Amino acid sequence: MTGETMTKSEYDQIADEMVLRILPDGEKEDITLAEAVEEAEELDLDVVVVARTAKPMVVRLMDQGKEKHDRTRKLKDSAKKAQNNVLKELRVGLNIGQHDLDVKMRQARDFIEKGYKIKFCMLLRGKDFYNRQPEALQRTQEIADMLGTISTVESPAALLGRIVSVTIKPGAPKEAKPAQPAKGAPA
């Protein structure tokens, strides 16, 4: 909530006018502007004009510095939460060699430890698109499963156009609880 400031000359012109004063606890009362300013000084609060054109004018007694601090803290907290949605893309080929795959896995582990989501993409070219789609889906899912101890699959391997992709996010997968036998059923 932002309030308007008032110059000394504007205040002098309307000091005797009635205003609707709102206290921090929500209590409302019609008093003169001068009385509202005196009450704010006693409570060590600020007078913030909420609605200048309303009849009577609406003012709120509040600690404007504290309110501004709370607002900036909320913005920082929401920015921290939004940062967790960063997506890193790693491209792999269908015929990737073992050493190259190890390098990609090392990069993926580093990204997961930093809290990033990862999208593995495999582009199918030429005849691979027509002849090796099942193999590509399986290979991409295997790559995601290699990181299964430190991540969970957010979206399973899927074909989108000529690209097979799988998205994983940080966090170990939740272990499934063993099924409990129904009450009264023989064990």
Side-chain angles (χ1 to χ4, degrees), residues 124-135:
L124 299 178
R125 296 185 176 117
K127 289 186 178 182
D128 289 345
F129 177 71
Y130 298 104
N131 301 330
R132 299 177 72 185
Q133 285 182 12
E135 184 182 342

Side-chain angles (χ1 to χ4, degrees), residues 20-164:
L20 176 63
R21 183 259 298 133
I22 304 172
L23 289 175
D25 62 1
E27 180 186 334
K28 300 176 183 180
E29 184 181 355
D30 284 329
I31 59 174
T32 64
L33 183 58
E35 291 172 348
V37 170
E38 287 176 19
E39 190 174 354
E41 288 174 357
E42 290 173 11
L43 297 172
D44 195 29
L45 297 172
D46 302 315
V47 178
V48 179
V49 178
V50 177
R52 185 182 291 245
T53 57
K55 297 292 179 195
M57 181 170 55
V58 180
V59 296
R60 180 181 296 269
L61 302 187
M62 61 187 289
D63 186 355
Q64 201 167 15
K66 179 180 181 254
E67 193 271 334
K68 184 178 179 182
H69 171 73
D70 290 344
R71 193 172 353 133
T72 56
R73 192 178 68 221
K74 284 180 185 177
L75 284 173
K76 285 181 182 178
D77 289 345
S78 66
K80 285 180 184 177
K81 291 177 184 175
Q83 184 181 5
N84 293 341
N85 294 331
V86 176
L87 181 70
K88 295 285 187 174
E89 183 176 312
L90 294 174
R91 301 181 110 194
V92 294
L94 185 58
N95 299 321
I96 189 168
Q98 186 60 42
H99 180 266
D100 294 336
L101 184 60
D102 292 342
V103 171
K104 293 291 183 181
M105 290 291 116
R106 200 170 326 125
Q107 288 176 338
R109 277 194 181 83
D110 290 343
F111 288 146
I112 288 173
E113 288 170 0
K114 292 178 183 176
Y116 296 121
K117 292 181 183 180
I118 300 172
K119 182 177 183 179
F120 282 101
C121 294
M122 185 179 295
L123 178 64
L124 299 178
R125 296 185 176 117
K127 289 186 178 182
D128 289 345
F129 177 71
Y130 298 104
N131 301 330
R132 299 177 72 185
Q133 285 182 12
E135 184 182 342
L137 288 166
Q138 179 183 355
R139 183 78 169 146
T140 309
Q141 191 61 45
E142 287 172 4
I143 290 171
D145 292 341
M146 287 181 197
L147 297 169
T149 57
I150 60 172
S151 65
T152 56
V153 175
E154 186 174 70
S155 63
L159 180 67
L160 300 169
R162 289 187 169 270
I163 299 174
V164 177

